[in-house]
Each structure stands twice: as structure tokens, then as C-alpha cells.
Amino acid sequence: MANHIEKRLLNTNVRYRFDYIAKFLNFTVDDIAVLNNFAKIAHPHIQTLVEVIYHKLFEYDITKEYFIKQNFVFKGVKTTDNNQLTLQSEQMLFRIDSIRKYLYRILRQHIWNDAFLQYLSTIGKMHTNLAGAHSIDIDYIHINAMLGYLQHTFIEIILSSEELDDAMKKTTLLALNKLFWIQNDFFSMHYIVTPHDGN
């Protein structure tokens, strides 16, 4: 007999949604332990990895223009000319630091409690137009592309690591893949539940 899943709760209860996705993907505490172990290997690479991601986002005007928008947390000097915006601009250094902290956290998190799941959901929501003054309002296609590129970059770190044997590389790749699909779902839920118009 098929397990019953309550559609309403999938769209309103972060824990319920995560439990469904995690069970579907067979994401377990073992995967979390693998990610925690990988965090130690990834740590020296994350600063460079983040810079590579933003270089990629700067390759396209449609993604670069989002960084001209005001970030509700950023209080420094803001560059408003797209042509003058560089990765050394204050708002970019702020964003680079923010995503660096985010990556450290998702890899190091030992217990995926309700507070952490809410964090993942909030990260997703703030990139839509649903978070009020906190909204960054980015079309989902760019989120999806960035997550894919980010995962690809992490895969390269795993495959080139001399600290992981072949069996552990496979285990880490599988755990990382589940992590990114879960995070992607916490982005997509806010676009799917309420249609996103974007700019």
C-alpha cells in the first residue's frame, strides 16, 4: 500500500516537506556525517570556489544586474553602475562572504533540526519576491543554473581529492547530490507555491 502524503503539509510545513524529500532520496544521518567529513576537505577550497561562482555570474548581464539591487542587510557603499561593479566592490565582497558562510554551514551542520531546515527554507524564500523587504527577487532559472554550477565545482574537488579513496569519493558524491537536490527543493517550493514574476 502506498504511503499517504498530505499535499497541503508539503506546501506549508518545512519539516514535513523535508521528511518526504529525505525519505524519497534516502538522505540519512550517514549522509550528514559524510558531508561533515567532506567539510574538512572542502574548507581550503571554498573561498576560491565562491570567487569562481561569482566570476561565472558576472559573465552574463542578466545575472550580474541582480547585484546592483539593494540587499537589505548590506549597509556599505553601493555601486549602482553595472559597468563599474567588480568582485572587489563592497556589495560583492559582502555577498561573497555571505555565500562562503552558507557553504560552510550546510556542510558542517551536524543535526538537521527544525531551525536548520527553516534556515534552508529562508535562503530559498529570500531569493523570491515573497520575503518582503528581505527579498532579492531572482528568477528561478538563474538559481537552478547557479546550484548546478556550484555542485559541479564541488564534484571537481571530490574527484581530485587525494584524501578520499574511490569508495569514499562515491559516497561523498552521492551525499552531496542529495544535499543539492534538497536545497534546490527549498528554493523551488517558494516559486511553485506562489508564481514568481521576476523582472
Side-chain angles (χ1 to χ4, degrees):
M1 184 175 179
N3 293 324
H4 175 67
I5 300 297
E6 183 64 50
K7 184 176 181 180
R8 178 186 62 82
L9 290 176
L10 286 179
N11 293 330
T12 58
N13 187 304
V14 171
R15 167 58 65 179
Y16 189 87
R17 187 182 184 97
F18 168 75
D19 286 345
Y20 166 68
I21 293 293
K23 187 173 183 179
F24 201 107
L25 296 176
N26 193 30
F27 180 78
T28 69
V29 292
D30 291 337
D31 292 300
I32 295 172
V34 168
L35 293 171
N36 294 161
N37 180 65
F38 176 58
K40 303 169 189 175
I41 296 169
H43 184 276
H45 302 279
I46 284 183
Q47 182 63 35
T48 300
L49 180 152
V50 170
E51 291 174 3
V52 167
I53 292 167
Y54 278 102
H55 275 294
K56 173 60 69 173
L57 292 169
F58 266 41
E59 288 182 14
Y60 304 94
D61 57 359
I62 197 168
T63 47
K64 185 179 179 182
E65 70 181 11
Y66 283 109
F67 302 117
I68 296 295
K69 297 181 178 181
Q70 181 65 44
N71 183 295
F72 76 99
V73 177
F74 177 70
K75 304 299 181 183
V77 178
K78 184 171 176 288
T79 302
T80 56
D81 185 340
N82 203 316
N83 294 320
Q84 294 182 6
L85 184 68
T86 72
L87 293 180
Q88 296 306 311
S89 298
E90 280 194 45
Q91 70 244 52
M92 294 312 305
L93 292 175
F94 171 81
R95 290 176 184 271
I96 288 171
D97 185 59
S98 295
I99 196 171
R100 179 180 59 80
K101 292 176 180 176
Y102 158 77
L103 293 176
Y104 286 145
R105 180 168 183 182
I106 63 172
L107 293 177
R108 290 175 171 174
Q109 185 73 23
H110 294 296
I111 300 174
W112 284 44
N113 54 23
D114 289 350
F116 180 65
L117 296 181
Q118 190 59 54
Y119 169 74
L120 295 181
S121 178
T122 299
I123 291 294
K125 187 175 183 179
M126 70 186 293
H127 286 80
T128 70
N129 59 1
L130 303 179
H134 294 192
S135 294
I136 303 175
D137 197 15
I138 299 176
D139 288 325
Y140 177 68
I141 184 174
H142 311 304
I143 297 295
N144 190 50
M146 188 199 72
L147 288 175
Y149 188 75
L150 179 58
Q151 181 177 7
H152 172 79
T153 309
F154 269 123
I155 287 172
E156 289 185 335
I157 293 173
I158 294 170
L159 293 178
S160 63
S161 174
E162 297 181 356
E163 300 177 57
L164 300 172
D165 60 25
D166 288 345
M168 186 53 68
K169 284 181 180 180
K170 178 181 178 180
T171 302
T172 307
L173 287 170
L174 291 173
L176 186 76
N177 183 63
K178 296 173 191 179
L179 167 65
F180 275 99
W181 277 108
I182 290 167
Q183 178 63 94
N184 189 55
D185 180 69
F186 276 122
F187 274 100
S188 67
M189 69 178 288
H190 297 294
Y191 288 88
I192 294 170
V193 174
T194 301
H196 178 74
D197 295 327
N199 290 330

